[in-house]
């Protein structure tokens, strides 16, 4: 990357895939490398740095460099899913290590932490991560090895003051990692706020077209823990496939543009339904009424994200019926695609979910805002 490219605005860096071009063929688009192995040099060396398809595939290099650039990191690594990326961070710890994580977070990871990870010996403590006092009280100096954050956090969009939480974590001697899927590399840069590691479900905004399952980690420093994570990805076989890596780069080229529109749509939808008599609450960090609004203003740039939730006044069955009546919104789990999705969150999270039973989670896509609002309006009924 040239000095000029390093200074590029995220929209320019993404659209140009960091200025990649192929010297040999003059191709403007990076190729897909479909190979499971690499040729060894006649003198028995691997000067290319690549020996086999489980640790390496060159198709990863441009999307990894672009993501690292967008996040302001030292390096990035793609995984076969967001869960593969997230669990690698916990698997790199040791049995008996204490970790602090939010009570309100992506349910799949919370389920894994309180199940498998705890059974394997991690001491997992869940806290209200919107409350710095609760984080401080849970951290155990020298025993807590990891403070895991998510902001804004599923599905009520709890906002954590990332810079303050990272400082608390570091004071206790813990590494600080964050699931930044919803803030998607251009709305918040947690490394610049003090985090050591950033995780993304690249399935969501980074790819953005609902056709790839992928994950990523970005590190602030290429340190010993990062080397351990690289080794874990190889031995666990969690590398992303080359076709998915190529599709992910194509998606990332429009990330800033898509997010701009999704944020604008989410803000308009939130403002339209706040105060609507059929809705008891609209949960969106972009509304001044949201408990995390002031912190979100401080640490999010360019918008408050495309994710919001509404609570339907007449309760759970009315929420499920609302989701049944949508015509433009798609009734599906996941988020961050070009098409808007609606989901009754408690149904997918199951027993023990902190999602209120009357809550519908909305992923605003890039459609026309008026169409989305009118559709939700008719689906809410009288
Ligand atoms: C915030 C968040 N983190 C992590 C994940 C897990 O990612 P994946 O489904 O790519 O494994 C998800 C998936 O829904 C998510 O929404």
């Amino acid at each position: 990357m040239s000095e000029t490219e390093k200074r590029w605005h995220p929209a320019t860096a993404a659209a140009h895939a960091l200025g990649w071009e192929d010297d040999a063929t003059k191709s403007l688009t990076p190729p897909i490398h479909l190979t499971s192995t690499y040729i060894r040099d006649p003198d028995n060396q691997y000067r290319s740095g690549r020996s086999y398809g489980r640790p390496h595939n060159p198709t990863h290099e441009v999307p990894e460099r672009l993501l690292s650039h967008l996040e302001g990191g030292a390096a990035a690594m793609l995984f076969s899913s967001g869960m593969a990326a997230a669990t690698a961070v916990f698997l790199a710890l040791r049995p008996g290590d204490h970790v602090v994580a939010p009570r309100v977070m992506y349910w799949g990871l919370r389920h894994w932490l309180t199940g498998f990870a705890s059974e394997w010996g991690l001491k997992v403590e869940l806290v209200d991560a919107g409350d710095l006092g609760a984080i401080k009280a849970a951290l155990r100096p020298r025993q807590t090895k990891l403070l895991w954050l998510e902001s804004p956090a599923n599905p009520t969009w709890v906002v954590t003051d990332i810079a303050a939480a990272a400082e608390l974590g570091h004071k206790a001697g813990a590494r600080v990692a964050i699931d930044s899927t919803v803030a998607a590399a251009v709305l918040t840069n947690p490394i610049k706020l003090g985090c050591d590691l950033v995780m993304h479900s690249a399935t969501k905004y980074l790819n953005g077209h609902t056709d790839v399952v992928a994950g990523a980690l970005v590190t602030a420093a290429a340190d010993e823990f990062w080397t351990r994570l690289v080794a874990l990805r190889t031995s666990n076989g969690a590398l992303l496939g080359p076709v998915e890596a190529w599709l992910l780069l194509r998606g990332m080229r429009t990330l800033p543009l898509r997010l701009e529109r999704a944020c604008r749509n989410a803000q308009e939808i939130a403002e339209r339904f706040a105060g609507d008599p059929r809705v008891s609450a609209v949960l969106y960090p972009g509304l001044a009424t949201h408990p995390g609004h002031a912190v979100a203003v401080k640490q999010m740039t360019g918008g408050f994200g495309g994710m919001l939730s509404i609570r339907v006044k007449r309760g759970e069955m009315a929420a499920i019926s609302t989701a049944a009546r949508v015509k433009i919104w798609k009734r599906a789990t996941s988020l961050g695609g070009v098409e808007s999705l609606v989901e009754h969150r408690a149904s997918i999270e199951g027993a023990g979910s902190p999602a209120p039973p009357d809550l519908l989670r909305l992923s605003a896509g890039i459609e026309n805002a008026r169409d989305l609002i009118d559709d939700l309006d008719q689906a809410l009924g009288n």
Side-chain angles (χ1 to χ4, degrees), residues 41-200:
D41 298 330
D43 61 356
N44 220 28
Q45 304 294 307
Y46 271 118
R47 282 188 195 77
S48 70
R50 301 181 196 98
S51 58
Y52 183 53
R54 178 151 45 75
H56 304 121
N57 188 292
T59 319
H60 286 207
E61 289 166 14
V62 183
E64 286 179 344
R65 274 182 30 229
L66 176 58
L67 182 58
S68 181
H69 172 86
L70 294 175
E71 287 287 16
M77 200 170 16
L78 299 181
F79 284 78
S80 52
S81 69
M83 277 298 283
T87 55
V89 179
F90 293 94
L91 292 170
L93 301 175
R94 291 186 164 78
D97 284 352
H98 179 248
V99 306
V100 174
R103 187 166 291 116
V104 173
M105 67 186 292
Y106 169 58
W107 76 280
L109 185 59
R110 186 182 62 237
H111 191 246
W112 183 85
L113 284 173
T114 53
F116 286 113
S118 299
E119 285 162 21
W120 278 96
L122 286 185
K123 297 198 175 90
V124 179
E125 192 165 340
L126 302 181
V127 296
D128 173 3
D131 176 356
L132 289 171
I135 294 178
K136 190 173 177 191
L139 288 164
R140 301 183 196 161
R142 290 175 304 283
Q143 280 180 49
T144 308
K145 298 297 179 203
L146 182 71
L147 169 61
W148 182 268
L149 303 170
E150 178 179 328
S151 186
N154 264 291
T156 51
W157 319 112
V158 173
V159 176
T160 296
D161 185 330
I162 299 170
E167 200 180 324
L168 290 174
H170 288 152
K171 260 194 199 143
R175 194 166 267 105
V176 181
I178 184 164
D179 180 342
S180 198
T181 298
V182 169
V186 292
L187 301 178
T188 307
N189 289 138
I191 287 175
K192 294 177 188 161
L193 298 172
C195 291
D196 303 297
L197 288 165
V198 178
M199 173 255 151
H200 288 281

